[in-house]
């Protein structure tokens, strides 16, 4: 390989959500790009291979099974048991469809250079893959994260699953012990319960999904419990006594619990181990790359993007960071990472969707706000679709003569909440007035009418006696 072949405008390490966003744009824009991942099978990163895609495919199947069982209340009985092999086949097929346009051959045919192998830094602008050296003006580290390993006594006795192995499981465990009540734990836990396992979620915290408001997550907890999931809060697996028996501390008391399989979802850690970052003058603090607000490392020509940046760990957060890096590669006006308008969805049923600023952050910033809450109990669509339990919380800025009243953030728990909040996210991101929702004409009975109801109810509270008197006068004059 000549020196010319080894010189690139930009090298991107990691072909996941973040790395693909940066490299594909730079390639389309005519730059000489080298994209690196460990193997062809790992292109697409966690999202395609061990995360979003397989989990959402599994959730899709579990929803079908659950809905089919619910038909029992109308006299239709469902018989038979699930074939775990076919369930996983569906998951793999879904991944394969996406892999058709996310693989090394596809990218190379399009003219994008791809190197497969473990990358490490050998200099401030130099990367090594399979003993070959590559150089570039700019480097982006988008190496993602790995599941945190469970380290407790007796762990060597059990075979446990995490997100890197659960989607290869070839049977449905009778009793699945899920450790961790974050988004991954509750999504996978509910899916397996619906597929036929008996699921117990052991969670250290006071409530599941710690990034979302407790009032909202409690609704999900109740619904999951109704389906048979056991959720143990402020609890911890202390030790494994055997390959099928654990000691769990619940309310300060140790209880023994048997299980057939364990799924561990206790957090995710940046994947920087093999990168030899010191060669690139990149500082690392406690396993985390030191990053400035422009997503640059201590080597200003090397950026970080996605999970490895240590901010919010979502595919769309990685894409958001990719856009910031792309801006900063081309402009003297550097953009800072700002998560004020970020949103996230936990794809359980009901889904939990949050966006914008949470109440704690609004208070911290001393923004005057009003808390708007509504249940769905009187919403016609929720009545016919049987989800009167759903809830919506919004934070809106206080009425003010100078500024329009706008949505600062909020959360919803409802079936398909991730879709329902999209117009709220649009209003939040674009700092639209709450009147845009008030004035919108919604077809009856779309579920999104709840987004208008909460504003209408709020405005109705503003009908003071003085305003009522004025209305009475106007009515008498004009009629
Ligand atoms: C079970 C599960 C469900 C999830 N569901 C969702 C969801 O519904 N929505 C959502 O937004 N997010 C979800 N996520 C999170 C999402 O998957 C991640 O946030 C996203 O994949 C991060 O993208 P990334 O580009 O930072 O890293 P990744 O997608 O992990 O990509 C990193 C890539 O870098 C490669 N790599 C690492 N080190 C090296 C090296 N030294 N040399 C070469 N290559 C290297 C890896 O092989 C990998 O392909 C989920 C995660 C999990 C685990």
């Amino acid at each position: 390989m000549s020196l010319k072949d080894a010189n690139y405008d930009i090298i991107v390490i990691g072909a996941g959500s973040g790395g693909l966003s940066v490299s594909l744009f730079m390639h389309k824009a005519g730059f000489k790009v080298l994209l690196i991942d460990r193997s062809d099978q790992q292109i697409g990163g966690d999202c395609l291979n061990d995360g979003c895609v397989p989990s959402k495919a599994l959730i899709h199947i579990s929803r079908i099974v659950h809905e089919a069982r619910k038909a029992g209340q109308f006299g239709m009985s469902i018989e038979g048991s699930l074939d775990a092999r076919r369930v996983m086949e569906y998951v793999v097929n879904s991944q394969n469809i996406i892999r058709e346009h996310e693989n090394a051959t596809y990218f190379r045919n399009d003219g994008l250079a791809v190197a497969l192998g473990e990358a490490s830094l050998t200099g401030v602008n130099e990367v090594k893959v399979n003993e070959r050296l590559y150089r570039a003006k700019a480097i982006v580290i988008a190496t993602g994260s790995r599941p945190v390993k469970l380290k407790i006594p007796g762990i060597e006795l059990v075979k446990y699953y995490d997100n890197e192995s659960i989607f290869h499981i070839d049977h449905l465990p009778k009793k699945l012990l899920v450790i961790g009540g974050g988004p991954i734990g509750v999504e996978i836990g509910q899916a397996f319960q619906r597929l036929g396992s008996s699921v117990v979620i052991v969670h250290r915290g006071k409530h599941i999904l710690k990034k979302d408001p407790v009032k909202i997550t409690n609704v999900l907890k109740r619904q999951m419990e109704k389906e048979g999931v056991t959720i143990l809060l402020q609890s911890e697996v202390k030790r494994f006594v055997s390959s099928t028996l654990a000691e769990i501390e619940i309310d300060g008391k140790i209880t023994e619990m048997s299980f057939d399989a364990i799924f561990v979802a206790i957090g995710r850690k940046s994947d920087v181990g093999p990168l030899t970052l010191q060669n690139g003058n990149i500082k690392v603090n406690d396993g985390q790359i030191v990053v400035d607000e422009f997503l640059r490392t201590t080597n200003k020509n090397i950026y970080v993007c996605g999970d490895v940046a240590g901010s919010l760990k979502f595919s769309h957060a990685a894409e958001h960071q990719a856009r910031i890096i792309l801006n900063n590669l081309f402009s003297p006006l550097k953009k800072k990472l700002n998560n004020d308008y970020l949103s996230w969805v936990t794809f359980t049923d009901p889904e939990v969707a949050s966006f914008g600023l949470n109440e704690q952050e609004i208070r911290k910033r001393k923004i005057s706000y009003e808390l708007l809450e509504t249940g769905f109990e009187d919403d016609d669509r929720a009545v016919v679709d049987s989800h009167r339990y759903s809830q919506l919380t919004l934070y809106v800025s206080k009425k003010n003569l100078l500024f329009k009243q706008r949505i600062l953030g909020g959360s919803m728990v409802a079936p398909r909440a991730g879709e329902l909040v999209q117009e709220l996210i649009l209003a939040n991101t674009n700092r639209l007035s709450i009147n845009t929702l008030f004035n919108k004409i919604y077809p009856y009975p779309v579920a999104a009418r709840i987004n208008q109801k909460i504003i209408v109810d709020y405005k109705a509270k503003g009908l003071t006696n003085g305003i009522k008197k004025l209305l009475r006068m106007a009515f008498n004059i004009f009629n």
Side-chain angles (χ1 to χ4, degrees), residues 12-21 36-39 41-56 59 115-120 127-129 141-147 162-164 166-167 183-185 187-188 263 265 268 271-276 305-309 312-319 321 343-347:
V12 178
I13 309 175
S17 309
L20 284 176
S21 301
I36 308 170
D37 209 308
R38 287 183 171 125
S39 69
Q41 293 70 37
Q42 276 156 295
I43 286 182
D46 248 6
C47 189
L48 173 59
N49 300 300
D50 310 306
C52 332
V53 173
S55 63
K56 266 77 253 179
I59 287 168
L116 297 175
E118 185 86 47
S120 57
V127 175
K128 185 171 80 173
V129 186
I141 298 173
T143 50
S145 61
R146 303 288 297 268
D162 56 25
N163 70 289
E164 293 180 353
I166 193 74
F167 303 112
I184 297 173
E187 282 186 5
I188 296 294
F263 176 66
R268 307 189 50 76
D271 194 4
V272 294
L275 283 168
T276 55
C305 182
D307 281 9
V308 71
L312 293 170
K313 292 186 172 62
F314 298 107
S315 286
H316 53 284
E319 290 165 358
Q321 291 170 18
S343 54
W344 55 87
V345 178
T346 301
F347 293 89

Side-chain angles (χ1 to χ4, degrees), residues 63 181-183 186-187 190 207-224 314 316 343-355 389-391 410-422 425:
R63 183 179 291 127
V186 296
E187 282 186 5
Q190 186 184 45
H207 69 96
I208 54 171
L209 305 179
K210 66 176 179 198
K211 284 199 181 78
D212 302 288
V214 62
K215 200 167 172 185
I216 292 285
T217 60
N218 274 344
V219 174
L220 170 65
K221 180 170 175 282
R222 276 196 298 276
Q223 288 307 118
M224 287 177 63
F314 298 107
H316 53 284
S343 54
W344 55 87
V345 178
T346 301
F347 293 89
T348 39
D349 183 15
E351 291 177 356
V352 175
S354 290
F355 62 93
Y389 56 78
S390 297
Q391 290 279 337
S411 293
M412 185 189 284
V413 55
R416 305 279 181 189
E419 315 301 328
L420 290 180
V421 296
Q422 288 309 312
I425 295 175

Side-chain angles (χ1 to χ4, degrees), residues 19-70:
L20 284 176
S21 301
V22 175
S23 55
L24 294 181
F25 176 84
M26 291 300 284
H27 173 61
K28 278 194 191 116
F31 290 87
K32 195 176 171 201
V33 183
L34 176 69
L35 175 64
I36 308 170
D37 209 308
R38 287 183 171 125
S39 69
D40 205 5
Q41 293 70 37
Q42 276 156 295
I43 286 182
D46 248 6
C47 189
L48 173 59
N49 300 300
D50 310 306
C52 332
V53 173
S55 63
K56 266 77 253 179
L58 194 71
I59 287 168
H60 172 73
I61 305 164
S62 73
R63 183 179 291 127
I64 293 175
V65 174
H66 178 71
E67 295 294 331
R69 285 211 188 96
K70 281 204 310 203

Side-chain angles (χ1 to χ4, degrees), residues 420-432:
L420 290 180
V421 296
Q422 288 309 312
E423 61 179 359
L424 300 175
I425 295 175
L426 186 74
N428 169 245
T429 313
N430 291 288
R431 305 168 71 88
L432 303 178

